[in-house]
Amino acid sequence: MITAIVLIDCATDSIPEVAETLAALPGVSEVYSTAGHVDLIAIVRVRQFEQIAEVIAGSISKVDGVLNTESHIAFRAYSQHDLEETFAIGLPDGD
């Protein structure tokens, strides 16, 4: 699975509508409304590298209200959830 993080600037008056449209696109797994220097962050997950261009340049960039995108390809994922599963040995939680 190939993951891309896409930072999106969009027209201020259409952020919720743009977010909903983006979330419905094939290849877009999540869209977050954010505070900071970008309006939205989309997580794109595809099986083949070539599909990234299709999703970002072919779909996301063409949504009405999207003004600019900046894409980052993820090399490896790290998360607490993954670490807990890796080191779990089947014992119940102590909470």
Side-chain angles (χ1 to χ4, degrees), residues 23-45:
L25 294 174
V28 176
S29 64
E30 300 141 68
V31 177
Y32 298 94
S33 176
T34 63
H37 72 282
V38 296
D39 301 307
L40 300 170
I41 296 176
I43 306 300
V44 173
R45 291 192 170 96

Side-chain angles (χ1 to χ4, degrees), residues 19-88:
E20 289 180 18
T21 301
L22 295 174
L25 294 174
V28 176
S29 64
E30 300 141 68
V31 177
Y32 298 94
S33 176
T34 63
H37 72 282
V38 296
D39 301 307
L40 300 170
I41 296 176
I43 306 300
V44 173
R45 291 192 170 96
V46 294
R47 295 202 179 277
Q48 299 176 345
F49 185 76
E50 294 79 19
Q51 293 174 295
I52 293 209
E54 293 171 16
V55 175
I56 297 171
S59 298
I60 290 176
S61 294
K62 294 182 178 178
V63 169
D64 285 338
V66 171
L67 304 176
N68 188 43
T69 64
E70 180 180 331
S71 303
H72 300 269
I73 307 300
F75 293 128
R76 186 173 291 156
Y78 300 89
S79 75
Q80 189 63 34
H81 176 74
D82 293 341
L83 293 174
E84 287 173 4
E85 297 224 355
T86 299
F87 293 104

